[in-house]
Amino acid sequence: MKTQADKEYWTSKYLSDDKSGSTPAPGGGVALPSLAALYASLFDFAEHTASRPTRALKFLRCTRSPLYLRYLVRSNSPNLHFVYKPVNEARAEPGNFRPPSSSRCLIKFDDAGEGPGEDTSPATRTTFLPQKSVVATNNANVFYLTIQGINGDDLDFEATWAVLAASFREIHTKNASKLSFEELYRNAYKIVLRKRGESLYDKVKDFEQAWLSNEVRQRLETLLSTNLVSRAEGEIAGSTASERTFAGEKFLKGLRDAWVDHQTCMSMLTDVLMYMIQMDRAGDIIDKYLIKSCVYMLEALYDTPAENEDEKLYITSFELDFLEASRAFYKKEGERLLRESDAGTYCKHVRRRIGEEQDRCRSTLSESTQPKIEVIVLDELVRNKIKDVIEMDSGVKFMVDNDRIEELGLVFDLNQRVDDRKAELSRAIQKRVIDIGTDVNTAAVVASQAQAGKDSETKDENKDEPSSDKGRLGAERAVNQQTVAALKWVEDVLALKDKFDRIHRDSFALDQTLQTAITRSISEFINAFSRSSEYISLFIDENMKKGLKGKTEQEVDVVLEKAITLLRYIQDKDMFERYYKKHLCRRLLMAKSVSTDVEKQMISRMKIELGNNFTSKLEAMFKDMQLSEDLTSGYRHYVQRLGDPDPKRIDLDMKVLTSMTWPLESIGGGAGGEDVQQRSRCTYPPILERIKKGFEQYYADKHSGRVLTWHANLGSADLRATFPKVSGAKEGTSLGKERRHEINVSTFAMVILLLFNDLVPNQTLTTEEIQAKTNIPMSELCRNLQSLAVAPKTRLLTKEPMSKDIKMTDRFSFNESFQSKFLKLKVGVVSQGNKVEGDRERQETEKKNNDSRGFNIEAAVVRIMKQRKELTHQQLITETLTQLAAQFKPDVNMIKKRIESLIEREYLERMDDAATPSYRYLA
């Protein structure tokens, strides 16, 4: 072994690579390469290549151990050998073999021979791990290599600083393109990790001070010409003004350039960190712990000795530049994504970017940067782009139409991050709801108009053929298809609501703002459809008659809840009430309801939703039905007490209805302008008239002062009909014997049939004669005669001539040859069921509803004025609108007209002395 000076020499030499061979050591003899030099070379080579030969070293990569030194040959210098010694073997075998993972290694320096010597001395063994620091120990003539962790105590600070100082000089002289930023990071990282950060800071400070003093200052001093110095000292002789100006400008320009260069060099130090961050964003793998250590260093240093929190170098020298660079990066990325990707992909990318920045701040940068970088990401990728994303072809409209629930959830999440009101998303959802709802409305109108057009064409084609059946069939088919179109409109609206309810639940997290937007939009398109109240009432009517048959209680509740949901959206609830009363009236009187309990349950739900005023008349209708049952039962007991011996006496079931509660004028079944009083003046057969008078007497005894009006068009009757044996018919056939049937018919049909009891066989009656004997309104008579004489399965009468149309001269007779395989028959009245109103019926309904609204408006105005005594015109209008909003949306002009009517009738008076138009209540 040579002297300590030899080792110190090689420690500072850094393993020479010249072609002359070895370098003599200061003490003479053969120089020994230092282990510090070996360490530096080892990791520089191993970092960049698996096998990199030089004149000094050659490295190979193996499988079990990431790398190991195979051999080193250096002329005129000692041989250096890496020797792997297995744990379980007594002796080490140098050379080329792959060590197992459990091997130990040692290094032997042999001054004598060419090959590796025998190791007979005890060796300190440690596991061989790459990229660790190396410490050499001397034991006689053998050097052993101890592999230590990165946190080891040994660090050649001066050598590492020399590398950094040389890099700083290159940066200041604008030769930074040759530098390896990763190498600089690694060197600074090792120094800081060895707790030598303060020393590094002092070194950097001294270097910059020396550079500014020795290099920059000297360069600036050369710019101070004699003319400029003389001018500063007050001596102006010997120089011209232009010379002094030129000298001053030259100095200032040099000073400016020096300052710019200094700022540029200092910013380059920050740019290195930025460069690594950009690599991370691009998906490259970086040493996050290394950057985090640098961040710790910047956070520990301050601009001023005061060490204020906002004067940390991390904030002043790095964070601001980082945030600005990030803003530019995300702005450019957002514009690129809008061009290249669809809305769903864009939202997923933004969500991923937000998560990446959060993780980056936790693992690489400072957590204090997280809220700041999030604001930038949200500004550039969401706040400034969310409108464009929502309006893309693949945006919200596409997502809604194709049930992209997850993507809608992403849009909602991003929008709520930048806007608590979710204005852009709410606007897009509202527009889509209204657009789909408008399409539903348009489809219903088109279907209705198409059926009306077909009906009109059929009538025109057959106007010269009175006996044709096509016109009548076409009209009936049109009515049925219009009803189907009405039910389809309701189903489409419910499907639309279910769709957006699912989106609201699964994508929008039941957000209240979007719930309000969806509700308002659905209400808007429903109320834009003029027949919405009628169609919703028809939907309930259809379910109450047959739609709920066979359903469980849970299924019934679902249907009722859907009906109530639709009812919530309607503004003109008074119009719905009118239609619902009409349909309910027919269901109750004709026993069409599936369940009275379900009917009452529906009314209870309406009462909870709309209040007692809305359902009071509906509840009164059920009360009348119950009282009618009691009256009928009481009348039967009354007849029994009279001891009537007639075995053929008619059993009477009466429905006594309150005229102000039941909409009897709107369910007569004929034209809207039909005289209601004419229906009540029907002429009954004597046997019925006697029963009628008896009940009137019984009712008058119980309720004096009340007048009963009979509505035969709303009643029904059960008859037992006997059809005699047909002469000439074969024995054993159905016509060869007497036939009996129980027939259910309308009251008018019963009156018509009873006329033929008093006729001899084959005697006929004309339409005009029947009408004269019964006094049945012509429209009702024609419909009942069609049911009795034209319908194939219930042809109880024969008609001459046979046709669908009923003329005054047509003759009818009892059909003795009628036959049916059923004992019980039901004769329906043509077009008697609930159906969509025609244009004329619709106009009459609207007129009656407007008249009713006028009374409600007057009542509201009087209630308000009676309480307030005096009120301005505008305040009265506002309070009236507010008070009536639960029933309907009144027209302002209608309110004004009703106020004028109240003034004329002296309920109110104008206040002439008031500054603004005002009214006073007159008691």
Side-chain angles (χ1 to χ4, degrees):
M1 290 297 296
K2 302 301 179 182
T3 63
Q4 181 68 24
D6 293 336
K7 291 191 288 183
E8 292 175 355
Y9 170 79
W10 279 103
T11 300
S12 61
K13 183 61 180 175
Y14 193 86
L15 199 58
S16 173
D17 188 28
D18 58 32
K19 297 180 180 180
S20 61
S22 62
T23 303
V30 181
L32 176 66
S34 70
L35 293 179
L38 172 63
Y39 153 70
S41 298
L42 175 65
F43 293 112
D44 283 345
F45 284 106
E47 183 74 18
H48 296 93
T49 179
S51 177
R52 180 175 177 180
T54 68
R55 289 187 179 276
L57 301 171
K58 183 174 182 180
F59 295 88
L60 295 179
R61 185 179 298 274
C62 68
T63 304
R64 300 297 298 273
S65 182
L67 58 89
Y68 66 96
L69 184 62
R70 187 180 182 191
Y71 62 84
L72 177 144
V73 178
R74 187 179 182 84
S75 60
N76 300 323
S77 64
N79 295 316
L80 175 65
H81 304 279
F82 269 70
V83 180
Y84 287 91
K85 188 171 184 179
V87 174
N88 296 326
E89 295 184 11
R91 302 181 60 82
E93 294 183 6
N96 183 15
F97 73 97
R98 179 176 300 172
S101 59
S102 62
S103 295
R104 307 289 184 175
C105 76
L106 55 89
I107 294 178
K108 177 182 178 182
F109 293 90
D110 187 356
D111 294 341
E114 292 293 326
E118 295 294 328
D119 178 20
T120 58
S121 60
T124 302
R125 302 168 185 169
T126 60
T127 303
F128 181 82
L129 297 173
Q131 299 184 11
K132 303 291 184 180
S133 62
V134 183
V135 177
T137 59
N138 185 2
N139 183 6
N141 66 338
V142 180
F143 278 79
Y144 297 101
L145 192 67
T146 302
I147 308 299
Q148 296 181 338
I150 197 69
N151 293 322
D153 296 332
D154 186 74
L155 171 69
D156 192 343
F157 178 80
E158 296 300 330
T160 306
W161 166 246
V163 176
L164 293 175
S167 301
F168 290 166
R169 182 171 293 277
E170 293 298 322
I171 292 174
H172 280 302
T173 56
K174 303 181 181 179
N175 292 322
S177 61
K178 300 179 181 180
L179 298 178
S180 170
F181 286 159
E182 293 185 21
E183 180 182 355
L184 297 180
Y185 272 126
R186 192 181 308 112
N187 290 328
Y189 175 62
K190 290 186 292 184
I191 292 174
V192 173
L193 211 58
R194 297 298 204 293
K195 303 186 183 303
R196 299 292 299 275
E198 184 176 355
S199 300
L200 178 61
Y201 174 76
D202 293 336
K203 286 285 188 181
V204 174
K205 182 183 69 173
D206 295 341
F207 177 88
E208 292 299 325
Q209 185 175 359
W211 176 265
L212 293 173
S213 300
N214 300 332
E215 301 291 337
V216 178
R217 182 183 178 87
Q218 290 179 8
R219 188 168 66 250
L220 292 177
E221 286 177 352
T222 61
L223 300 178
L224 292 173
S225 64
T226 305
N227 293 334
L228 189 60
V229 175
S230 300
R231 174 65 178 173
E233 295 176 353
E235 301 175 4
I236 60 175
S239 64
T240 64
S242 60
E243 291 174 343
R244 293 193 298 273
T245 301
F246 176 76
E249 291 177 350
K250 183 179 180 181
F251 174 77
L252 292 176
K253 182 178 180 182
L255 184 63
R256 182 201 64 189
D257 292 343
W259 173 252
V260 171
D261 289 344
H262 175 71
Q263 292 294 100
T264 302
C265 292
M266 297 307 295
S267 67
M268 288 180 67
L269 301 179
T270 299
D271 291 343
V272 176
L273 282 177
M274 290 297 305
Y275 168 75
M276 301 297 287
I277 298 291
Q278 295 291 63
M279 289 178 61
D280 187 28
R281 284 176 176 159
D284 297 328
I285 299 176
I286 65 171
D287 191 343
K288 296 183 179 180
Y289 298 103
L290 179 61
I291 298 178
K292 187 71 172 180
S293 299
C294 295
V295 169
Y296 285 151
M297 178 184 69
L298 292 174
E299 286 186 320
L301 301 176
Y302 296 84
D303 268 347
T304 65
E307 297 189 358
N308 294 324
E309 193 68 20
D310 57 351
E311 293 180 348
K312 288 182 177 180
L313 285 182
Y314 175 80
I315 297 176
T316 59
S317 299
F318 171 73
E319 189 180 62
L320 294 177
D321 294 336
F322 168 71
L323 294 177
E324 287 303 318
S326 298
R327 186 179 296 277
F329 172 82
Y330 284 118
K331 180 178 181 180
K332 182 178 180 180
E333 183 178 70
E335 293 171 351
R336 176 180 61 80
L337 288 173
L338 283 178
R339 294 191 304 270
E340 298 176 358
S341 64
D342 58 81
T345 303
Y346 183 95
C347 293
K348 293 176 183 176
H349 181 84
V350 174
R351 173 75 73 84
R352 180 170 61 84
R353 282 299 194 192
I354 293 173
E356 288 176 355
E357 292 297 342
Q358 292 173 344
D359 293 340
R360 185 174 294 114
C361 290
R362 285 191 293 266
S363 62
T364 307
L365 302 177
S366 172
E367 291 190 6
S368 63
T369 306
Q370 179 175 330
K372 302 174 185 178
I373 189 63
E374 281 188 18
V375 169
I376 288 176
V377 175
L378 293 175
D379 282 348
E380 297 303 328
L381 295 185
V382 181
R383 181 175 282 106
N384 298 337
K385 303 291 191 303
I386 190 66
K387 182 177 181 181
D388 296 331
V389 172
I390 288 175
E391 294 178 353
M392 291 172 69
D393 291 339
S394 58
V396 169
K397 178 180 181 296
F398 174 82
M399 295 175 185
V400 169
D401 294 345
N402 294 275
D403 293 327
R404 300 292 183 90
I405 302 298
E406 181 182 357
E407 294 178 358
L408 284 169
L410 290 174
V411 175
F412 167 75
D413 177 65
L414 296 179
N415 198 186
Q416 75 170 351
R417 288 174 182 263
V418 298
D419 182 10
D420 292 336
R421 296 184 297 109
K422 281 78 69 176
E424 292 297 336
L425 180 58
S426 297
R427 190 178 300 112
I429 291 295
Q430 281 185 295
K431 184 177 185 303
R432 192 60 195 142
V433 172
I434 292 175
D435 288 346
I436 298 176
T438 301
D439 292 341
V440 171
N441 293 345
T442 302
V445 172
V446 170
S448 178
Q449 291 176 346
Q451 297 305 327
K454 291 179 182 179
D455 183 28
S456 177
E457 291 175 4
T458 303
K459 290 181 179 179
D460 291 341
E461 290 174 0
N462 297 281
K463 61 183 180 181
D464 297 328
E465 303 178 24
S467 62
S468 175
D469 297 344
K470 295 182 180 180
R472 179 67 59 184
L473 291 173
E476 293 177 4
R477 190 180 301 113
V479 168
N480 293 332
Q481 291 180 349
Q482 285 179 358
T483 303
V484 170
L487 298 177
K488 185 179 185 304
W489 178 86
V490 176
E491 292 170 357
D492 290 343
V493 171
L494 289 173
L496 184 150
K497 184 184 182 303
D498 290 342
K499 179 186 184 72
F500 281 94
D501 282 347
R502 184 172 64 257
I503 292 174
H504 179 247
R505 181 186 65 250
D506 298 339
S507 300
F508 299 157
L510 300 177
D511 181 74
Q512 185 59 45
T513 301
L514 286 166
Q515 175 66 60
T516 302
I518 293 173
T519 301
R520 185 181 296 116
S521 301
I522 295 177
S523 177
E524 182 175 338
F525 83 77
I526 286 179
N527 288 288
F529 187 53
S530 60
R531 289 183 175 268
S532 58
S533 298
E534 180 184 7
Y535 282 9
I536 293 173
S537 181
L538 273 174
F539 168 77
I540 298 174
D541 179 70
E542 187 71 14
N543 279 282
M544 289 297 181
K545 288 193 297 186
K546 53 186 178 181
L548 299 179
K549 188 176 296 184
K551 292 185 180 293
T552 63
E553 290 185 6
Q554 291 79 5
E555 291 172 333
V556 170
D557 287 340
V558 170
V559 174
L560 297 183
E561 184 58 32
K562 287 182 177 180
I564 292 297
T565 300
L566 291 175
L567 182 56
R568 292 191 188 108
Y569 293 119
I570 298 177
Q571 289 181 346
D572 296 337
K573 293 182 174 60
D574 59 335
M575 182 67 80
F576 170 81
E577 180 186 7
R578 183 172 294 275
Y579 282 112
Y580 190 81
K581 285 170 61 178
K582 172 184 174 181
H583 296 153
L584 176 62
C585 174
R586 192 174 294 278
R587 290 199 302 273
L588 293 179
L589 295 181
M590 298 185 177
K592 296 288 187 179
S593 290
V594 173
S595 170
T596 303
D597 292 337
V598 175
E599 292 278 9
K600 292 181 178 179
Q601 185 180 351
M602 183 66 188
I603 292 176
S604 298
R605 289 173 179 259
M606 290 182 180
K607 186 174 183 178
I608 295 172
E609 188 69 28
L610 303 174
N612 184 61
N613 290 336
F614 183 85
T615 59
S616 58
K617 291 186 178 180
L618 301 179
E619 292 173 332
M621 293 170 69
F622 281 94
K623 185 177 180 180
D624 284 348
M625 296 296 290
Q626 182 62 46
L627 292 175
S628 297
E629 291 181 5
D630 296 339
L631 280 172
T632 301
S633 176
Y635 180 67
R636 288 173 181 167
H637 291 304
Y638 169 75
V639 172
Q640 290 176 359
R641 288 196 301 269
L642 292 178
D644 191 342
D646 188 359
K648 296 183 178 180
R649 181 178 179 85
I650 297 175
D651 188 14
L652 189 63
D653 183 10
M654 307 299 299
K655 298 292 187 295
V656 181
L657 314 177
T658 305
S659 59
M660 296 298 295
T661 301
W662 294 74
L664 303 177
E665 74 284 352
S666 60
I667 61 172
E674 189 81 47
D675 187 3
V676 178
Q677 295 298 323
Q678 184 180 356
R679 299 192 193 116
S680 64
R681 292 196 294 267
C682 172
T683 303
Y684 297 95
I687 190 173
L688 290 179
E689 188 66 27
R690 184 165 64 88
I691 298 296
K692 174 174 170 287
K693 294 294 185 182
F695 181 80
E696 288 178 346
Q697 182 62 44
Y698 168 77
Y699 187 80
D701 293 340
K702 293 183 68 68
H703 304 282
S704 60
R706 296 186 182 181
V707 178
L708 292 176
T709 302
W710 296 79
H711 291 266
N713 59 304
L714 301 177
S716 63
D718 291 327
L719 303 177
R720 291 187 180 92
T722 302
F723 296 88
K725 176 181 177 181
V726 178
S727 59
K730 295 181 179 180
E731 293 291 337
T733 63
S734 59
L735 297 179
K737 59 182 179 179
E738 187 177 79
R739 303 170 306 284
R740 298 178 183 274
H741 295 280
E742 294 182 5
I743 304 172
N744 177 265
V745 295
S746 68
T747 302
F748 283 148
M750 176 193 65
V751 173
I752 294 171
L753 289 175
L754 291 179
L755 293 178
F756 292 90
N757 276 346
D758 301 329
L759 300 181
V760 297
N762 298 324
Q763 186 178 353
T764 62
L765 292 174
T766 64
T767 304
E768 185 176 7
E769 290 173 341
I770 295 174
Q771 202 278 332
K773 290 178 178 293
T774 61
N775 200 30
I776 298 175
M778 194 61 196
S779 60
E780 298 280 359
L781 179 62
C782 290
R783 292 194 300 116
N784 281 275
L785 287 175
Q786 286 174 335
S787 300
L788 294 172
V790 178
K793 295 182 179 181
T794 58
R795 198 168 291 175
L796 304 177
L797 302 178
T798 58
K799 175 178 178 295
E800 294 292 338
M802 187 61 193
S803 68
K804 291 288 184 182
D805 296 329
I806 303 297
K807 297 182 180 180
M808 298 297 290
T809 56
D810 290 345
R811 307 193 70 85
F812 297 89
S813 61
F814 183 69
N815 184 12
E816 295 181 353
S817 61
F818 174 81
Q819 57 182 337
S820 175
K821 59 182 179 179
F822 299 106
L823 176 63
K824 295 183 178 181
L825 302 174
K826 181 177 178 62
V827 180
V829 180
V830 175
S831 301
Q832 191 178 19
N834 291 329
K835 60 182 178 59
V836 178
E837 289 183 333
D839 292 337
R840 187 174 66 175
E841 292 174 322
R842 173 73 179 177
Q843 292 174 0
E844 291 181 357
T845 301
E846 289 179 349
K847 181 179 182 303
K848 293 174 182 177
N849 197 63
N850 287 335
D851 293 340
S852 177
R853 286 184 177 183
F855 299 141
N856 289 331
I857 291 173
E858 288 184 355
V861 170
V862 170
R863 283 195 302 271
I864 294 170
M865 292 302 299
K866 188 174 182 179
Q867 181 182 6
R868 303 291 294 275
K869 304 304 180 184
E870 295 180 358
L871 209 59
T872 64
H873 174 78
Q874 190 59 43
Q875 288 177 324
L876 180 58
I877 295 292
T878 302
E879 292 196 22
T880 303
L881 289 171
T882 302
Q883 195 171 111
L884 295 174
Q887 302 177 45
F888 60 93
K889 186 179 180 180
D891 182 61
V892 175
N893 291 329
M894 181 181 291
I895 296 177
K896 292 179 180 179
K897 291 180 180 179
R898 306 321 297 183
I899 291 175
E900 292 296 329
S901 176
L902 290 172
I903 292 174
E904 292 176 0
R905 288 178 285 163
E906 297 184 353
Y907 284 93
L908 307 177
E909 69 174 0
R910 287 188 175 87
M911 298 174 60
D912 297 332
D913 55 344
T916 58
S918 303
Y919 305 102
R920 179 184 293 112
Y921 176 70
L922 299 177

